Amino acid sequence: MNYSFEYIDIILLAMIAGFIFLRLRGILGKRTGFEGKPTSQLKEVIKKINVEQNKIINDKFDDNAQKDFLKGAKIAYETIITDFSDNDNKITTSKTLLSTEIFKKFTDALNQRKESGHYAEITFIGINSAEIKEHKKIGNILNVTVSFIAEVITCIKDKDKKIVSGDPEKIKKIYDTWVFSRDMTSPNPNWQLVNTLT
């Protein structure tokens, strides 16, 4: 009799386990073999969500973002200005900071200087101020207009090292308004100079 009770207990436990298994499968669903392998549609949805989140973050050109931007803009400004003092009359260190149109414009100016037999000597003293005048978003592109006041020592000399213009002993204050641009959906964090308004 004890053996029969043990068998009954085992059968009851098996029935309870089966009932629990069926309930769990009904609630959780059964394995199909596709877990961890999102469909192409799901991938597109996830990608779209990530892009939208990046847009929300990037669209917030708040005070902190503007401060960080101005730090980079000052470095870019000095790099571009001093690049014009190279004796080879070529844009080198600042090329990646310029849009295609601005790069062509600056290169043409350097070629004209080279053809005339002149070269520039530029000593960058420092930036007195850099102020964002406006920022405007068109589509994914954010344009930021910056007003610079800086001090430089500059002069143009001919091939005989005779001064054509400027003064190698005098500090000159210069005023520039430049427009920087960046595609805010791009993973590339770099800004480019797209226009000079002076």
Side-chain angles (χ1 to χ4, degrees):
M1 292 294 292
N2 290 338
Y3 288 113
S4 62
F5 280 119
E6 288 178 3
Y7 287 128
I8 292 171
D9 289 343
I10 292 171
I11 292 170
L12 286 174
L13 288 172
M15 291 176 63
I16 292 169
F19 175 75
I20 292 172
F21 172 77
L22 290 173
R23 289 289 294 170
L24 286 173
R25 193 173 80 162
I27 295 170
L28 300 178
K30 61 181 179 178
R31 185 177 179 86
T32 62
F34 291 100
E35 284 79 356
K37 298 179 182 179
T39 63
S40 59
Q41 288 182 340
L42 180 57
K43 287 180 180 178
E44 287 300 317
V45 171
I46 293 171
K47 183 178 178 182
K48 187 175 180 182
I49 290 171
N50 289 336
V51 169
E52 292 300 323
Q53 287 177 339
N54 288 336
K55 276 185 177 181
I56 292 170
I57 294 170
N58 290 326
D59 282 346
K60 294 179 180 178
F61 195 58
D62 56 15
D63 290 342
N64 289 331
Q66 291 181 33
K67 286 178 182 178
D68 290 338
F69 164 80
L70 280 176
K71 289 178 184 177
K74 289 176 181 178
I75 295 171
Y77 181 80
E78 180 177 353
T79 302
I80 294 168
I81 292 292
T82 54
D83 209 6
F84 278 88
S85 65
D86 291 343
N87 291 330
D88 60 1
N89 282 324
K90 291 181 180 179
I91 299 292
T92 53
T93 56
S94 64
K95 183 175 181 179
T96 58
L97 303 174
L98 308 174
S99 68
T100 303
E101 183 180 350
I102 292 295
F103 175 75
K104 183 180 183 306
K105 186 184 293 185
F106 285 5
T107 300
D108 289 345
L110 288 176
N111 288 336
Q112 290 178 7
R113 191 173 76 190
K114 184 177 181 180
E115 289 173 4
S116 64
H118 297 162
Y119 68 95
E121 289 184 354
I122 300 174
T123 301
F124 194 88
I125 304 300
I127 297 174
N128 293 346
S129 68
E131 180 184 354
I132 295 176
K133 304 302 290 184
E134 72 169 354
H135 55 89
K136 184 183 297 183
K137 194 166 184 291
I138 303 172
N140 295 326
I141 307 300
L142 178 61
N143 294 324
V144 184
T145 303
V146 183
S147 179
F148 294 97
I149 301 176
E151 292 182 340
V152 299
I153 298 173
T154 179
C155 69
I156 304 295
K157 294 182 178 180
D158 61 18
K159 59 183 179 180
D160 299 321
K161 295 187 177 181
K162 182 180 178 181
I163 296 174
V164 176
S165 65
D167 187 340
E169 304 295 331
K170 185 178 180 181
I171 296 177
K172 179 182 178 182
K173 188 171 286 188
I174 55 176
Y175 301 83
D176 285 316
T177 302
W178 289 4
V179 181
F180 295 91
S181 182
R182 178 176 174 253
D183 183 345
M184 302 305 284
T185 61
S186 171
N188 185 351
N190 296 331
W191 295 77
Q192 287 190 325
L193 176 65
V194 297
N195 200 5
T196 55
L197 306 178
T198 53

